[in-house]
């Protein structure tokens, strides 16, 4: 029996487990220290591929080191650029899932944070490439400067998505004083 | 791979699967047509027990018939009374989980609905008996008359729960025009 309700990152992985099969093409829009990239590389298996974006050199280096330690670096294309430029690197590649873990790089410069404008641009770029049946999952934070504004921008965007084409859900916490992260999910309905 | 994100009732059962073990003592606070009661009777196994409340005769009869059809009626104590009187029937019995599926009886009189005041009283009664590690899960509707007010009353109550003692989460939908039901969860932290 579980000691607590699922936390946000755990929940985001759970949704990927439910909706992503081996052999999938997925995007880690925020490589960070590589924990999500490693999870995704395991999930997609030998035949799958992960495109992992981060605009910080330190994040790319940390992610590369973590992947190499697990001998999974060959499943991952690491791209040192902002996730809003996703389309430039993927072209017309159809993707099965996109994962965002927003905010700042843990252990890095906390003043470098993801922002509403670029996050929404990346979301739109991800939706453009998303296969029917695919998912986009975001872990969003409100506890750091700019976090509330970014989360509000994401909400505004997600509420505009056509209900017939997409189903959008949220997993959040109600009584915690520090405002723990929440999860936002977009499922593109199968064709 | 799943065709859609989990719907509210499916999610409520999923949370029970994660947190309730065989042999548990649980409450179905809204027996209705017995679907949740049947699910709970299966979940708690031979050694478990389900207390199922409903104030409508038709609900009690439908639930009893469904349980008998599955030969699980011996695991369930059916109580024809409002769930706000839970304490009267359970006394000091410790419970591992309480499930609410609010609103009206499907196929019954749609003017007979659960209401904020009694639902919150039942929630409080459930919390009084809840074991450390136990959960309360509610499926809440806003599409019928009174639904919004009831859901608002539940939110007001849940937000007052001490973060150190309880973790409260929500699973909801953002872009669906008809306002599908949402799930509210309370986990009592292990002692």
């Amino acid at each position: 029996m579980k000691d607590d309700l699922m936390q946000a990152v755990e929940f985001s992985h759970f949704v990927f487990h439910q909706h992503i099969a081996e052999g999938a093409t997925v995007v880690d829009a925020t490589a960070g220290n590589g924990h999500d990239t490693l999870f995704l590389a395991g999930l997609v298996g030998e035949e799958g591929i992960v495109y992992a974006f981060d605009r910080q050199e330190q994040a790319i280096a940390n992610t590369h080191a973590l992947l190499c330690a697990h001998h999974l670096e060959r499943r991952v294309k690491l791209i040192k650029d902002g996730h809003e430029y996703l389309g430039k690197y993927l072209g017309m590649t159809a993707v099965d899932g996109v994962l965002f873990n927003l905010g700042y790089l843990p252990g890095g410069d906390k003043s470098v944070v993801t922002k509403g404008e670029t996050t929404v641009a990346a979301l739109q770029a991800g939706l453009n490439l998303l296969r029917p049946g695919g998912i986009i999952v975001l872990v969003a934070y409100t506890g750091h400067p700019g976090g509330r504004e970014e989360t509000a921008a994401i909400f505004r965007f997600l509420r505009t998505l056509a209900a017939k084409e997409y189903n959008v859900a949220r997993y959040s916490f109600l009584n915690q004083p520090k405002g723990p992260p929440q999860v936002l999910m977009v499922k593109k309905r199968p064709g």
Side-chain angles (χ1 to χ4, degrees), chain A residues 23-36:
Chain A
T25 299
V26 302
V27 175
D28 183 350
T30 50
N33 288 318
H35 301 295
D36 285 342

Side-chain angles (χ1 to χ4, degrees), chain A residues 56-133:
Chain A
Q56 294 190 75
E57 185 63 47
Q58 185 191 340
I60 296 293
N62 291 356
T63 299
H64 185 246
L66 188 64
L67 292 168
C68 288
H70 290 82
H71 309 293
L72 289 174
E73 70 277 11
R74 278 184 300 182
R75 300 181 189 176
V76 180
K77 290 197 192 298
L78 281 170
I79 299 159
K80 188 186 161 297
D81 205 347
H83 46 213
E84 65 272 29
Y85 303 115
L86 196 150
K88 182 174 147 190
Y89 296 91
L90 272 81
M92 302 292 280
T93 308
V95 302
D96 300 288
V98 185
L99 180 58
F100 293 79
N101 192 336
L102 301 169
Y104 52 80
L105 177 68
D109 181 351
K110 289 189 181 181
S111 75
V112 180
V113 296
T114 55
K115 286 177 182 164
E117 194 181 343
T118 43
T119 300
V120 168
L123 251 174
Q124 183 61 69
L127 287 174
N128 292 345
L129 299 179
L130 199 63
R131 277 205 184 95

Side-chain angles (χ1 to χ4, degrees), chain A residues 124 127 157-164 166 168 186:
Chain A
Q124 183 61 69
L127 287 174
F157 177 76
L158 293 179
R159 287 190 199 279
T160 67
L161 295 181
K164 281 194 182 170
Y166 300 101
V168 183
V186 182

Side-chain angles (χ1 to χ4, degrees), chain A residues 137-158:
Chain A
V137 178
L138 305 101
V139 178
Y141 301 75
T142 54
H144 64 282
R148 278 184 192 280
E149 294 75 7
E150 179 184 34
T151 301
I154 297 166
F155 269 85
R156 280 195 299 274
F157 177 76
L158 293 179

